[in-house]
Amino acid sequence: MTPVSFFDASNTDRVVLRYRLSGEHGHAKQWLLSDFEIGRALGRGKFGHVYLAREKQSGYVVALKVLYKKQLCTHGVQRQLQREIEIQGNLRHPNILRLYGYFHDETRVFLILELAGKGELYNELQRQGRFAESVAAKYIMQMANALLYLHSQRIIHRDIKPENLMLDVRGELKIGDFGWSVRTASTESRRTTLCGTLDYLPPEMVQGGLHNENVDLWSMGVLLYEMICGHPPFEDEKGYIATYHRIVQVDLNMPGHVSAEAADLIRKLLQYRSVDRLPLRKVLQHPFIIKHQRSAQ
Ligand code: ATP
Ligand code: MG
């Protein structure tokens, strides 16, 4: 993929658009805003809005995310966005939201994204309170498949939570938002500064230690618990310090309605030591997943 660059001064005098078609074609297309018909706003992001849009020539409907360069600079997130585009733009998996391309003008960066017709999983969970275990099992299976693919590409997502998971019109899960993801060398471990909520982070990250791809296994355990129980497991009304202590002690309360299989999978993912967490292939073979896979057929 062409190196991502939209803060290059030589580009700012005219609208420069870059787009690389999927690997088979291998040639770049430069897009213009006038290639799209803009529809209703789909949502509001930190740095701009997301609109429904139709590519005029093909009639293909996408989500167009508009980010204001000034705000990106104010928050110092240009590099992070470049990394996000480089990573997401190269991923091809049915459960990962496609980034078809990007372009920019003097003031804005535009991301051409696959449309997630049913929006965020977070909103669906808010509406329903909690999901039936069969529904949670389907999402965990799709997520495990997507993470297997990501990890095989040596990418750690590091920010799996309901706000970053989208649903397409058929209700299939799509991992979106690669803002915190990193590409690592095979044996490398990482250290990073945190921001945002602690709820989904594993002990090694809240303690500022080294971490590897097994952080995503922990977050998947948190997600499974939240989908079935309606709230994340270590959330504490006393605030983030209390949450911190609950995470490092793996202080897990399992409500009575959680089935034995679901509880077992949650416990096997929420292991303090990252090497002890159930690997993705074993998640896919776990009785909780198998049971619901059978009944869905
Ligand atoms: P935040 O960090 O506050 O979540 P953000 O900058 O990451 O903001 P997004 O979460 O990507 O922005 O987008 C904001 C909203 O736009 C989402 O909550 C969602 O409702 C909608 N949206 C984003 N991408 C898509 C998409 N591909 N398809 C449909 N709706 C989308
Ligand atoms: Mg977001």
Side-chain angles (χ1 to χ4, degrees), residues 261 264 282-292 294:
E261 293 94 345
D264 184 71
K282 294 210 171 148
V283 170
L284 290 169
Q285 293 160 6
H286 189 276
F288 174 68
I289 302 294
I290 301 288
K291 178 172 92 175
H292 292 294
R294 282 216 192 92

Side-chain angles (χ1 to χ4, degrees), residues 44-46 65 120 159 161 163-164 166 176-177:
R44 196 199 180 113
K46 260 194 238 72
K65 186 167 172 173
E120 290 180 16
D159 201 15
K161 55 183 175 188
E163 293 91 324
N164 289 335
M166 312 289 293
D177 201 337

Side-chain angles (χ1 to χ4, degrees), residues 42-50 62-63 65 67 84 97 113-120 123 163-164 166 177:
L42 290 167
R44 196 199 180 113
K46 260 194 238 72
F47 306 110
H49 289 82
V50 181
V62 296
K65 186 167 172 173
L67 304 138
E84 179 175 350
L97 197 78
L113 291 161
E114 176 180 356
L115 177 66
K118 288 199 175 150
E120 290 180 16
N123 295 332
E163 293 91 324
N164 289 335
M166 312 289 293
D177 201 337

Side-chain angles (χ1 to χ4, degrees), residues 3 23 31 75 86 109 120-121 126 137 160 166 173 196 198 202 214 216 221 231 236 264 271 273 288-289 293:
W31 288 112
H75 292 84
E86 257 153 11
V109 178
E120 290 180 16
L121 183 74
Q126 290 282 308
I160 296 294
M166 312 289 293
L173 184 92
L198 292 184
N214 288 0
D216 291 337
H231 57 91
D236 199 302
D264 184 71
Q271 288 290 314
R273 278 162 35 104
F288 174 68
I289 302 294
Q293 226 172 353

Side-chain angles (χ1 to χ4, degrees), residues 20-235:
R20 186 164 280 264
L21 289 168
S22 40
E24 319 96 65
H25 301 93
H27 60 277
K29 169 167 170 55
Q30 303 222 314
W31 288 112
L32 291 160
L33 186 54
S34 59
D35 288 325
F36 297 90
E37 261 166 48
I38 308 298
R40 69 180 170 91
L42 290 167
R44 196 199 180 113
K46 260 194 238 72
F47 306 110
H49 289 82
V50 181
Y51 297 93
L52 193 67
R54 187 198 305 271
E55 201 274 310
K56 288 177 186 166
Q57 213 170 18
S58 63
Y60 198 72
V61 177
V62 296
L64 199 64
K65 186 167 172 173
V66 184
L67 304 138
Y68 289 92
K69 286 185 173 178
K70 207 170 160 187
Q71 289 187 40
L72 295 170
C73 288
T74 309
H75 292 84
V77 293
Q78 306 97 304
R79 291 300 306 274
Q80 188 183 320
L81 178 65
Q82 285 168 348
R83 193 166 65 178
E84 179 175 350
I85 293 173
E86 257 153 11
I87 290 179
Q88 199 176 352
N90 282 305
L91 298 172
R92 304 282 184 276
H93 188 277
N95 298 114
I96 294 176
L97 197 78
R98 276 288 300 270
L99 172 64
Y100 296 113
Y102 74 94
F103 55 92
H104 64 112
D105 63 16
E106 273 167 54
T107 56
R108 300 164 294 184
V109 178
F110 301 87
L111 305 185
I112 311 169
L113 291 161
E114 176 180 356
L115 177 66
K118 288 199 175 150
E120 290 180 16
L121 183 74
Y122 177 81
N123 295 332
E124 198 56 39
L125 193 55
Q126 290 282 308
R127 255 195 303 277
Q128 296 188 29
R130 58 183 205 228
F131 295 150
E133 290 197 4
S134 57
V135 174
K138 180 186 115 173
Y139 291 142
I140 291 297
M141 188 183 72
Q142 295 183 338
M143 158 138 298
N145 278 314
L147 287 176
L148 262 179
Y149 168 78
L150 274 184
H151 292 177
S152 77
Q153 308 277 311
R154 301 202 322 269
I155 292 160
I156 319 178
H157 188 278
R158 305 199 298 182
D159 201 15
I160 296 294
K161 55 183 175 188
E163 293 91 324
N164 289 335
L165 301 171
M166 312 289 293
L167 299 171
D168 73 5
V169 275
R170 295 168 307 152
E172 305 295 298
L173 184 92
K174 304 272 174 178
I175 299 184
D177 201 337
F178 283 76
W180 272 103
S181 61
V182 280
R183 196 183 286 278
T184 64
S186 54
T187 54
E188 191 187 2
S189 291
R190 290 263 169 172
R191 201 189 296 277
T192 191
T193 11
L194 307 173
C195 75
T197 169
L198 292 184
D199 280 316
Y200 296 85
L201 297 176
E204 64 271 26
M205 277 182 87
V206 297
Q207 290 173 306
L210 293 172
H211 62 265
N212 61 18
E213 70 273 14
N214 288 0
V215 298
D216 291 337
L217 296 173
W218 174 280
S219 310
M220 189 163 70
V222 173
L223 181 75
L224 174 55
Y225 182 102
E226 179 168 6
M227 287 194 289
I228 294 177
C229 301
H231 57 91
F234 307 112
E235 187 180 64

